[in-house]
């Protein structure tokens, strides 16, 4: 009887500890985006030397394979890329801009209680503070289960509109069967002209009710347990480590530096600059080299 009472008391204390106001957790996520489509395009480009291809592959690896840290409590979280020293030749404004175009950027703060988020972004030398409502994710419970890192997880899926400025969402256009005119071939030397953006994507999430918080990596939330894996077909974000009630508590608060802007306004700003870059590149015969400045 004493053992039964002890077990019940221990379970109650554990439950209350998880739901106490001071409760915090930390999760490490590894994000990897498939680069197969881009490598195929490079292999088909006869103008690229083996050294150029190797350099591009190394740069893509640094952009498409990242580690993120999620610090969370009952109602809020901050999601941020793990800080790493930049390798020689991989830094610079161009790489930072590409990182921003791939959904990267400072601290992503989610408050599930207020259903709002704030994220600081740097784009073309200008700092933005994107503030908006959390997306209303219509999750469908699939009933499948699996174990991730020792936690029992359940599968859920959702159909989401893609983020147009996020470079990871681009797909190579299907090869056209019609004959391509010479002038059109020249236009197609521009990288962006060979890509297209789908309107929506099917996202698969695996969450664990064993960590009963309404949180997950990046923009994902809304399930009855911490999301340990996200897969949208091109990008997989997988949790590699969870620490509950870490000794060192994180300061979970929204970033505050930058020009306040909505998500739609920010997306339009990035798309406009991407279009300008494409037009400038075509105007220079595909060689690029122009500079742009953000308006204040």
């Amino acid at each position: 009887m004493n053992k039964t009472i002890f077990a019940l008391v221990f379970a109650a204390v554990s439950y209350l500890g998880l739901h106490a106001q001071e409760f915090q957790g930390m999760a490490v996520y590894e994000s990897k985006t498939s680069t197969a489509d881009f490598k195929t395009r490079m292999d088909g480009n006869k103008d690229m030397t083996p050294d150029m291809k190797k350099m591009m592959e190394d740069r893509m690896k640094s952009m498409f394979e990242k580690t993120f840290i999620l610090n969370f409590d009952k109602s809020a979280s901050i999601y941020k890329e793990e800080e790493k020293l930049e390798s020689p030749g991989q830094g610079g404004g161009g790489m930072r801009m590409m990182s921003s175009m791939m959904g990267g950027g400072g601290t992503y703060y989610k408050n599930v209680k207020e259903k709002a988020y704030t994220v600081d972004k740097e784009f073309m030398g200008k700092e933005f503070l994107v503030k908006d409502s959390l997306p209303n994710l219509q999750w469908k419970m699939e009933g499948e289960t699996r174990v991730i890192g020792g936690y029992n997880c359940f599968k859920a899926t959702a159909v989401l509109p893609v983020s147009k400025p996020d470079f990871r969402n681009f797909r190579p256009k299907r090869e056209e069967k019609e004959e391509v005119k010479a002038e059109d071939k020249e236009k197609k030397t521009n990288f962006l002209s060979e890509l297209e953006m789908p309107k929506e994507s099917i996202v698969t999430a695996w969450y664990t009710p064993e960590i009963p918080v309404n949180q997950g990596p990046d923009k994902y939330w809304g399930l009855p347990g911490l999301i340990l894996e996200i897969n949208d077909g091109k990008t997989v974000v997988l949790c590699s480590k969870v620490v509950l009630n870490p000794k060192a508590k994180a300061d979970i608060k929204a970033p505050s530096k930058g020009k306040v802007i909505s998500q739609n306004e920010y997306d339009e700003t990035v798309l406009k600059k991407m279009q300008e870059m494409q037009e400038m590149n075509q105007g220079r015969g595909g060689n690029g080299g122009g500079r742009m400045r953000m308006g204040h």
Side-chain angles (χ1 to χ4, degrees):
M1 177 66 76
N2 288 338
K3 287 184 179 179
T4 303
I5 292 173
F6 176 80
L8 289 171
V9 170
F10 179 80
V13 170
S14 299
Y15 181 85
L16 290 173
L18 185 60
H19 287 74
Q21 189 63 39
E22 64 271 14
F23 164 75
Q24 270 200 21
M26 185 274 290
V28 180
Y29 292 87
E30 309 295 335
S31 174
K32 187 172 183 178
T33 300
S34 171
T35 59
D37 291 334
F38 298 104
K39 286 181 179 178
T40 300
R41 292 281 165 168
M42 284 195 297
D43 291 339
N45 189 338
K46 297 178 181 179
D47 295 329
M48 292 188 74
T49 65
D51 287 342
M52 289 168 65
K53 290 179 182 178
K54 178 66 168 58
M55 182 183 71
M56 284 297 295
E57 286 178 4
D58 289 343
R59 289 193 173 187
M60 282 196 296
K61 184 179 175 69
S62 70
M63 289 190 296
F64 288 89
E65 296 182 18
K66 294 179 178 292
T67 301
F68 292 87
I69 307 295
L70 178 75
N71 289 286
F72 57 90
D73 57 27
K74 281 200 314 176
S75 59
S77 68
I78 50 174
Y79 184 69
K80 191 173 183 179
E81 184 179 348
E82 182 182 53
E83 293 183 2
K84 294 180 182 177
L85 292 174
E86 290 182 339
S87 303
Q90 291 190 351
M95 296 299 289
R96 283 195 296 271
M97 183 184 73
M98 285 297 295
S99 177
S100 180
M101 287 166 59
M102 289 174 53
T107 301
Y108 197 119
Y109 171 84
K110 292 197 299 288
N111 190 313
V112 297
K113 204 170 185 180
E114 299 174 358
K115 296 184 178 180
Y117 70 92
T118 303
V119 57
D120 52 347
K121 297 271 193 179
E122 182 184 342
F123 184 68
M124 301 297 288
K126 189 172 177 63
E127 293 180 339
F128 294 94
L129 193 65
V130 182
K131 302 182 79 169
D132 220 315
S133 300
L134 282 170
N136 183 20
L137 306 177
Q138 300 293 322
W139 293 109
K140 177 185 176 185
M141 306 305 180
E142 300 291 351
E144 295 177 43
T145 63
R146 60 183 278 214
V147 176
I148 299 177
Y151 291 96
N152 293 309
C153 297
F154 293 84
K155 181 180 180 181
T157 58
V159 178
L160 304 180
V162 301
S163 172
K164 291 183 179 179
D166 191 339
F167 195 79
R168 293 171 300 179
N169 291 322
F170 278 112
R171 306 287 190 271
K173 288 182 179 178
R174 294 178 180 177
E175 295 295 334
E176 297 173 2
K177 293 182 179 179
E178 301 174 5
E179 271 188 45
V180 182
K181 296 179 181 178
E183 58 265 28
D184 290 336
K185 282 185 179 179
E186 278 192 38
K187 287 180 182 178
K188 288 204 170 189
T189 57
N190 183 283
F191 187 60
L192 289 177
S193 67
E194 298 185 2
L195 303 173
E196 63 184 359
M197 180 73 70
K199 291 182 179 180
E200 59 186 25
S201 64
I202 298 175
V203 175
T204 299
W206 292 91
Y207 69 95
T208 177
E210 294 171 16
I211 307 177
V213 293
N214 199 355
Q215 290 287 351
D218 200 51
K219 62 187 175 185
Y220 301 103
W221 72 293
L223 286 166
L226 181 66
I227 299 172
L228 297 186
E229 181 177 325
I230 285 288
N231 187 330
D232 72 356
K234 289 274 288 186
T235 300
V236 177
V237 183
L238 176 63
C239 182
S240 58
K241 180 182 179 181
V242 176
V243 179
L244 299 179
N245 287 313
K247 291 181 181 179
K249 301 291 184 182
D251 191 9
I252 301 177
K253 64 179 183 180
S256 57
K257 191 176 180 181
K259 177 186 175 182
V260 177
I261 191 171
S262 71
Q263 187 67 60
N264 282 339
E265 289 171 335
Y266 177 77
D267 290 351
E268 288 172 6
T269 299
V270 175
L271 288 170
K272 182 180 177 182
K273 292 302 170 185
M274 287 171 66
Q275 183 64 35
E276 286 180 14
M277 289 173 68
Q278 184 176 8
E279 291 171 358
M280 288 172 67
N281 195 42
Q282 289 177 351
R284 293 171 180 266
N287 295 320
R291 294 187 177 185
M292 294 188 305
R293 295 180 182 176
M294 290 292 295
H296 291 270

